[in-house]
Amino acid sequence: MRRKIILFLTLAVTLFATGSSCNPPVNPDTKEFKDVMTFPPQWDGTKRGDITYQLLVYSFADSDGDGWGDFRGITDKLDYIQSLGASAIWLSPIHPSASYHGYDVEDYSITNPRFGTMADFRQLVSEAHKRNIRIYLDYVINHSGVNHPWFKAATSSMDNPYRDYYIFSDDPQKDITAGKIPMIGTEGSGGYDGGQWFPTGTMPSGIYKFILNWGSGKAPTVTVSGGGTPDVDNPDQSTEGAKYLYYGDGVCKKFYSKGNDVYELTVDFSSSWGFLVRTSNSTSWPLGTKYGAQQGSSAQLTFDVPFTLYTDYNSNDNIQDLAIPGANMYYFHSHFWTDWFADLNYGSVSTAENSPAFKAIVEDAQIWIDAGIDGFRLDAVKHIYHNETSEENPQFLKKFYDAVNSRFRAKNGRDIYMVGEVFSDWDRVAPYYKGLPALFDFSFWWRMNADINQGMGLSFADATISTHETFRSYRSDYIAATKLSNHDENRARSELGGSLSKAKLAGAILLSSQGSPYIYYGEELGYTGTKTGGDEYVRTPMYWGDRYVTSYTDKIDPAVEAAVGSVVSQEADASSILTMYRQLGRLRNTCPALATGKMERHPVINPQTGGIYSQVAAWYMIEGNQKLLVLHNLGQSEIIISLSDSLDKPLFANGRVQSKKEKEHFQLKMEGYSSAIFEL
Ligand code: MG
């Protein structure tokens, strides 16, 4: 809010000095439809539009030719980001990690050497600030990577100071039910949802006998006992009715049938993850062939005690691996389906700020504040406490924000920016404004996506305004971080059937709506890509048309480059999507009503009265004395709109837009997927 007030004061002075920053010439009367001639107003260079550019460090720009994007590459491409009118960059995680994407952080206090040194990072921050571009770091506070020294220490012994940084249990179901694990204590009204648990890597190895009791009419059981002599591999390779023990690095051994539905096998057991029972030795997992523990229940066996096996004929995801007796389990939320991550333990939210993990992660944030960053993007914040809709996560986030902000304020004298990822519908997102100033508005894109694909624009503004009213009820100075797709979603253009016209329309809607828009790198070039086959396909290298192109993965669809060309080719094309993004970025920074204005419903084109214009989305953007009319045709077909609003001052048009005027009566003809903005 403070920043907005300062911007507004700056703007007021500018307006006073120049009269108006948006004063295009008036279009003459025409009795026939003529193409609207747009007159983009002069920009005074002030960044008003709060546009953030989201980039993935590894795939963006490679300065040293090792195939991986790096800090110097970003620094060298700052003028490109500047050309979009961006006033901030969200960087994907910059810390060391085992994965390419960086969400399994191994040390929050240093840079991944693959991306560059701390000096390189500081240089990036410094050069960005020279252009009035802020730097936001992706900060992963829900979990660390299992290679983080905290986790390694925590699992090295039972009496270790780092033990409290994570959540351990030998019997998760029992401990959760008993309220011994505060972060998982309040799951819904149903009580228990324990998430996913993994062994710590201290799974005991040795010679074990496994006994299956597969009696008909009741659930099968497995019993483990210690000692004995390992069996030779079962020479009977028939698969009919066979049972297999699956463990270790893909070991799959057939049980010996002992009659009466009893099967036995003794092996020299070694496995970091535990074991499963299978009824197929196929290399895939046909449904109904995988037997373990039910997801969220205890997967821990006790010696010589039968354990009831669980299977699911609908989904193998509901089955978790079994732990050998004596194994030690750590917790990770089931959402991510990986054992690379371990959830950090902040204890009860009432005392979270005193937990060692909280203190440590806030302490590491100081390093980045000292390096000059301007904010954080917080990953997966609805998963920190294991109940998305409880008060716990917003309360925790407020504590985290306040702790980091007090450090930031001490250095910079202003409030830090922090945006949270709550990957949910807007009504689930809204309560998180009690904890953070900014949140991503995923519904904004999901709604727009559906509207464009249905060719129905009439309710878009109405629904968007309603969501903002809800956001405002939780925080008066809320920041709605609007967006199209991001690194976890199919590319916007692919969701829109690959259509370039629709992709341009989506970008035009994003940059002409209320909120603080994020542009996911590549959107401004019309990138395609879906997550089918791997997330890398929505994280495609930037095609610069020069030596900076990255090659971090071989999961690259050549169709993307074929469809979009390069930055160089699109810069030379006045009708390219890149040109449109640059025009709109500039316009958003020029016109206060676009930059910080409020959306208002159009009196005619709205769900109550505008039935004949069902394909059109229309609204006003208003800030101070400035009022703009925004129109988008979400339909495939041309439409003619009669308006009592003046169309004398067109500021922007995408696609063919024509107008005619007889006295004070205006008509606007918009081809399918076109957009127009007028100053009133
Ligand atoms: Mg490199």
Side-chain angles (χ1 to χ4, degrees), residues 484-502:
L484 304 181
S485 69
N486 72 14
H487 63 292
D488 286 326
E489 299 175 283
N490 292 336
R491 286 279 186 180
R493 182 172 168 184
S494 289
E495 286 287 315
L496 299 171
S499 159
L500 181 60
S501 305
K502 290 183 184 177

Side-chain angles (χ1 to χ4, degrees), residues 536-552:
E536 293 90 338
Y537 290 105
V538 301
R539 304 169 181 181
T540 305
M542 271 294 278
Y543 292 117
W544 295 106
D546 64 21
R547 68 177 178 87
Y548 284 84
V549 179
T550 61
S551 55
Y552 81 96

Side-chain angles (χ1 to χ4, degrees), residues 27-229:
N27 271 6
D29 285 16
T30 60
K31 291 193 168 56
E32 301 299 322
F33 277 114
K34 290 212 165 131
D35 290 350
V36 298
M37 299 292 292
T38 58
F39 297 96
Q42 283 285 315
W43 180 36
D44 63 7
T46 303
K47 297 266 185 76
R48 297 178 176 83
D50 203 13
I51 299 167
T52 302
Y53 191 73
Q54 179 196 353
L55 66 83
L56 309 175
V57 177
Y58 50 86
S59 71
F60 190 64
D62 175 18
S63 72
D64 58 6
D66 69 350
W68 291 84
D70 45 52
F71 300 139
R72 289 186 180 196
I74 301 167
T75 305
D76 291 348
K77 294 297 182 184
L78 281 172
D79 287 339
Y80 172 80
I81 297 169
Q82 178 81 329
S83 78
L84 293 162
S87 55
I89 302 171
W90 158 20
L91 302 173
S92 63
I94 64 167
H95 312 298
S97 72
S99 70
Y100 75 88
H101 52 65
Y103 286 96
D104 48 334
V105 175
E106 296 177 357
D107 190 337
Y108 294 89
S109 69
I110 57 175
T111 64
N112 186 331
R114 185 183 269 159
F115 303 147
T117 63
M118 195 61 157
D120 295 331
F121 180 74
R122 284 176 174 268
Q123 176 76 3
L124 165 59
V125 172
S126 165
E127 288 298 319
H129 285 174
K130 282 181 194 166
R131 293 164 177 82
N132 290 317
I133 295 174
R134 305 183 294 271
I135 297 289
Y136 305 151
L137 286 195
D138 208 318
Y139 211 49
V140 189
I141 61 174
N142 177 65
H143 55 266
S144 79
V146 293
N147 291 327
H148 196 292
W150 299 340
F151 190 73
K152 287 185 170 172
T155 53
S156 66
S157 69
M158 300 292 279
D159 57 343
N160 187 290
Y162 291 98
R163 200 80 184 154
D164 281 347
Y165 279 51
Y166 300 91
I167 300 168
F168 297 95
S169 172
D170 294 334
D171 191 339
Q173 182 160 15
K174 189 173 149 206
D175 287 348
I176 293 167
T177 305
K180 289 183 181 169
I181 305 178
M183 295 191 72
I184 322 176
T186 59
E187 182 68 28
S189 57
Y192 178 75
D193 174 8
Q196 194 173 33
W197 294 77
F198 299 99
T200 58
T202 54
M203 186 80 70
S205 53
I207 296 169
Y208 301 114
K209 184 177 192 178
F210 296 79
I211 303 166
L212 299 180
N213 201 320
W214 217 269
S216 58
K218 58 184 195 313
T221 62
V222 60
T223 307
V224 179
S225 52
T229 306

